[in-house]
Amino acid sequence: MRLLDGKKVSQDILDEITAAVALLPRAPRMAVVQVGDDPGSAAYIRNKIRAAGKTGIESEHVHLDGKISQSDLNTRMAELSASNLDGLMLQLPLPAHLNEGEALEYLDPDKDIDGFHPVNLGRLISGLDCYVPCTPAGIRELLKREEIPTSGRHVVIVGRSLIVGKTAALLLLEKSDLGNATVTVCHSASDDLAVHCRQADILIAAVGRAFLIKADMVKEGAIIIDVGMNSIEAPERRSGYRLVGDCDFDGIGDRAAAMTPVPGGVGPLTVAMLMSNALQAAKRYIGQEN
Ligand code: GUN
């Protein structure tokens, strides 16, 4: 089984971004908005801020109180969008009393470096130029750089989230060399999940359930992209926990042709693609400044 080293590929992408940033007349400026103290989100944000620093992108971590009202959050999103930032993103999930879709509508679509504003999603489904959501973009970039073709192949996606499943399906369906796949999207209410998964030439697991995908659900020679990031108890570790994906990595290793590890697979690619979108945003505004 070949290991798809997301860390290495993301470093290559970050090196390219660093070189492109150095050619700009000023540094790109981005912000990451966090609401509350979800520990998973805090870890993601740390990685994003660190990657920005390494690539020469100026970043700001805007940390809002977890009890903020919807209208105050909406106002903050609009204010930040109207500032001199090139791009910003709202880390998800939000605390349960807040509506993500509503808050995202207050983002300026031209600064929406996560690609979740309805305008960017509409442009994505229409095949128009747009900010592409970072995790699906990262998966596409990994497949491209690892020379794994998607054209004509059956991709089965487990998970229908906006962040991954739904938007990955749109990308892989695109009429292009990096799309052209036959796509099946499964989710928590799908009957016969194992039957669907066994059809997959490329299986993308993005459900957030540790070890849901077992070896007997995988076709011999399949490519496995594990987007899961689940924290499970590990008494032998000093921290008391460890991160695992949605796939039973050890069991699947004997059947799959190639597989992403967790951690070190898709996660770093998501971060790299956010930096790529921030660079794209800065180019848009610097173009207007000239
Ligand atoms: N939470 C987990 N992944 C992501 C992501 O790519 N973007 C946002 N905004 N929130 C996330």
Side-chain angles (χ1 to χ4, degrees):
M1 192 262 299
R2 171 173 146 214
L3 204 60
L4 301 173
D5 188 348
K7 225 167 161 178
K8 154 91 176 57
V9 173
S10 71
Q11 190 54 55
D12 292 345
I13 298 169
L14 290 174
D15 288 346
E16 292 161 19
I17 294 170
T18 307
V21 166
L23 296 175
L24 296 176
R26 66 160 173 82
R29 300 185 282 256
M30 62 169 275
V32 181
V33 182
Q34 179 183 12
V35 183
D37 296 298
D38 176 68
S41 290
Y44 278 122
I45 291 170
R46 263 197 308 278
N47 290 339
K48 289 169 183 176
I49 300 286
R50 193 179 305 137
K54 283 190 185 158
T55 46
I57 294 173
E58 283 176 15
S59 66
E60 188 184 334
H61 179 187
V62 180
H63 195 170
L64 305 176
D65 191 293
K67 295 198 176 67
I68 193 171
S69 68
Q70 181 78 48
S71 66
D72 285 351
L73 174 60
N74 298 345
T75 304
R76 279 303 273 146
M77 296 303 290
E79 281 169 0
L80 287 164
S81 286
S83 73
N84 72 355
L85 289 165
D86 298 306
L88 72 153
M89 56 151 295
L90 176 62
Q91 186 68 32
L92 303 175
L94 297 178
H97 70 283
L98 296 168
N99 181 319
E100 294 174 357
E102 185 177 328
L104 289 168
E105 279 203 89
Y106 285 81
L107 259 176
D108 178 346
D110 288 344
K111 298 189 176 187
D112 169 33
I113 52 176
D114 243 344
F116 293 151
H117 187 282
V119 166
N120 282 311
L121 291 169
R123 293 182 67 87
L124 180 68
I125 201 167
S126 305
L128 296 170
D129 191 39
C130 63
Y131 292 111
V132 178
C134 304
T135 301
I139 293 170
R140 183 172 64 175
E141 199 61 29
L142 178 71
L143 294 173
K144 176 180 147 196
R145 291 181 186 233
E146 292 286 339
E147 299 181 347
I148 295 169
T150 54
S151 210
R153 302 181 87 188
H154 192 174
V155 178
V156 176
I157 301 172
V158 188
R160 56 177 153 178
S161 70
L162 178 69
I163 294 175
V164 189
K166 215 185 281 183
T167 38
L170 290 174
L171 278 193
L172 290 161
L173 280 172
E174 273 183 356
K175 262 192 182 175
S176 88
D177 288 345
L178 302 180
N180 280 338
T182 302
V183 180
T184 298
V185 184
C186 305
H187 49 77
S188 50
S190 296
D191 286 339
D192 301 325
L193 182 63
V195 172
H196 291 296
C197 290
R198 275 196 290 271
Q199 306 296 316
D201 299 313
I202 300 173
L203 180 63
I204 301 178
V207 254
R209 294 240 321 258
F211 307 130
L212 176 75
I213 309 294
K214 304 271 192 292
D216 64 358
M217 296 166 74
V218 169
K219 180 161 85 174
E220 190 84 41
I223 309 291
I224 311 293
I225 308 291
D226 191 348
V227 188
M229 187 68 83
N230 310 293
S231 175
I232 62 164
E233 281 185 21
E236 75 281 5
R237 296 260 176 118
R238 208 157 17 124
S239 63
Y241 73 92
R242 69 187 174 104
L243 289 175
V244 298
D246 289 348
C247 300
D248 177 12
F249 188 90
D250 294 336
I252 291 174
D254 293 338
R255 292 180 70 82
M259 190 167 176
T260 58
V262 176
V266 177
L269 288 161
T270 299
V271 174
M273 298 321 288
L274 182 71
M275 299 308 125
S276 171
N277 284 350
L279 170 64
Q280 186 187 331
K283 282 182 173 167
R284 181 190 295 244
Y285 286 100
I286 289 169
Q288 290 169 10
E289 285 159 15
N290 288 337

